[in-house]
């Protein structure tokens, strides 16, 4: 697991969007970029710049996965049948940390990764501490008994800004089963994600 090297909300400021839909995001108060030059007028952005921003936003949303991991997901998506952008979203949503986040076991994608890496999550009854593991259709993901009593888990379950999506079937508050790989329009992103631009970025 890679260590996050920058403050998570810095990405919000850089993108100018509240990408996780969190009430505490600084973008809710300041829509300009970070740093002393953040309020300067922005020039025209090139096609490459637009594609790069789309890639950084999508990659950052999933907890700043490493460039190597993200490129690997793109390569796998391009190899699969069908639309590469949709395939990429499907692969990212199958990551174990993403499933833990979607199930409202954790308040942020970062804390979801931490729950997994600390051994608090089971897949089909077996402890798994690999956040990048891809969950399969029919897999059951659940929290360990200790984790169910953790403050951050209780906080996550009380969040009103997020709902558990339809492609996860809930069994109580600490267990979900993965029903299907979602299409882009089924994924509850708080902001618009453009995987087609990510595909263009990597296929240049």
């Amino acid at each position: 697991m890679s260590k996050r090297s920058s403050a998570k909300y810095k990405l919000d400021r850089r993108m100018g969007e509240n990408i996780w839909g969190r009430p505490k995001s600084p973008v809710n108060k300041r829509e300009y970029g970070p740093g002393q030059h953040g309020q300067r007028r922005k020039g025209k952005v090139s096609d490459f710049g637009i594609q790069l921003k789309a890639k950084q936003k999508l990659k950052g949303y999933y907890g700043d996965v490493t460039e190597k991991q993200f490129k690997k997901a793109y390569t796998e998506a391009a190899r699969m049948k069908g639309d590469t952008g949709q395939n990429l979203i499907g692969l990212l949503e199958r990551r174990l940390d993403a499933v833990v986040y979607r199930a409202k076991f954790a308040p942020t994608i970062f804390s979801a990764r931490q729950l997994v890496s600390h051994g608090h999550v089971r897949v089909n009854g077996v402890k798994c501490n690999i956040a990048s593991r891809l969950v399969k259709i029919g897999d059951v993901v659940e929290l360990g008994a200790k984790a169910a009593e953790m403050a951050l888990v209780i906080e996550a379950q009380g969040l009103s800004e997020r709902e558990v999506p339809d492609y996860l079937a809930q069994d109580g508050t600490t267990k979900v089963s993965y029903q299907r790989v979602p299409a882009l329009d089924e994924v509850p992103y708080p902001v618009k994600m453009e995987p087609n631009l990510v595909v263009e970025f990597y296929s240049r």
Side-chain angles (χ1 to χ4, degrees), residues 32 59 62-63 77-78 86 88 101 103 106 110 140 186 202-203:
Y32 50 86
K59 183 164 83 78
Y62 287 95
Q86 293 276 4
L88 176 60
Y101 176 59
F110 304 101
V140 174
E186 291 182 288
Y202 281 121
S203 56

Side-chain angles (χ1 to χ4, degrees), residues 38-98:
Q39 296 185 65
R40 280 187 177 178
R41 283 180 62 188
K42 293 182 174 71
K44 191 172 184 291
V45 183
S46 65
D47 286 349
F48 175 81
I50 292 167
Q51 292 161 2
L52 177 63
K53 183 179 175 181
K55 186 207 79 162
Q56 287 174 325
K57 186 162 70 168
L58 188 63
K59 183 164 83 78
Y61 178 85
Y62 287 95
D64 240 357
V65 295
T66 64
E67 178 61 27
K68 186 177 177 183
Q69 285 178 319
F70 197 74
K71 181 80 183 285
K72 185 181 175 186
Y74 163 76
T75 305
E76 182 62 31
R79 229 185 264 133
M80 295 161 68
K81 287 181 183 175
D83 181 80
T84 303
Q86 293 276 4
N87 292 342
L88 176 60
I89 295 297
L91 286 170
L92 291 170
E93 281 295 308
R94 283 176 56 203
R95 284 176 58 98
L96 182 56
D97 54 358

Side-chain angles (χ1 to χ4, degrees), residues 3-144:
K3 190 172 187 286
R4 188 173 77 246
S5 59
S6 62
K8 58 180 181 250
Y9 286 129
K10 216 176 255 186
L11 185 67
D12 278 5
R13 294 282 306 281
R14 201 165 69 232
M15 297 294 139
E17 295 178 88
N18 183 357
I19 69 168
W20 294 287
R22 296 282 281 160
K24 287 192 281 188
S25 173
V27 173
N28 297 338
K29 294 177 185 172
R30 302 184 297 260
E31 291 193 355
Y32 50 86
Q36 64 184 39
H37 305 301
Q39 296 185 65
R40 280 187 177 178
R41 283 180 62 188
K42 293 182 174 71
K44 191 172 184 291
V45 183
S46 65
D47 286 349
F48 175 81
I50 292 167
Q51 292 161 2
L52 177 63
K53 183 179 175 181
K55 186 207 79 162
Q56 287 174 325
K57 186 162 70 168
L58 188 63
K59 183 164 83 78
Y61 178 85
Y62 287 95
D64 240 357
V65 295
T66 64
E67 178 61 27
K68 186 177 177 183
Q69 285 178 319
F70 197 74
K71 181 80 183 285
K72 185 181 175 186
Y74 163 76
T75 305
E76 182 62 31
R79 229 185 264 133
M80 295 161 68
K81 287 181 183 175
D83 181 80
T84 303
Q86 293 276 4
N87 292 342
L88 176 60
I89 295 297
L91 286 170
L92 291 170
E93 281 295 308
R94 283 176 56 203
R95 284 176 58 98
L96 182 56
D97 54 358
V99 174
V100 168
Y101 176 59
R102 292 284 179 233
K104 289 182 77 170
F105 295 164
T108 67
I109 188 70
F110 304 101
S111 51
R113 184 176 298 180
Q114 194 175 43
L115 269 182
V116 175
S117 64
H118 288 184
H120 293 300
V121 176
R122 291 181 171 81
V123 179
N124 300 326
V126 180
K127 189 190 290 186
C128 179
N129 61 1
I130 302 166
S132 59
R133 172 179 172 165
L134 295 183
V135 176
K136 297 183 188 134
I137 294 169
D139 279 355
V140 174
V141 177
E142 63 185 312
L143 289 174

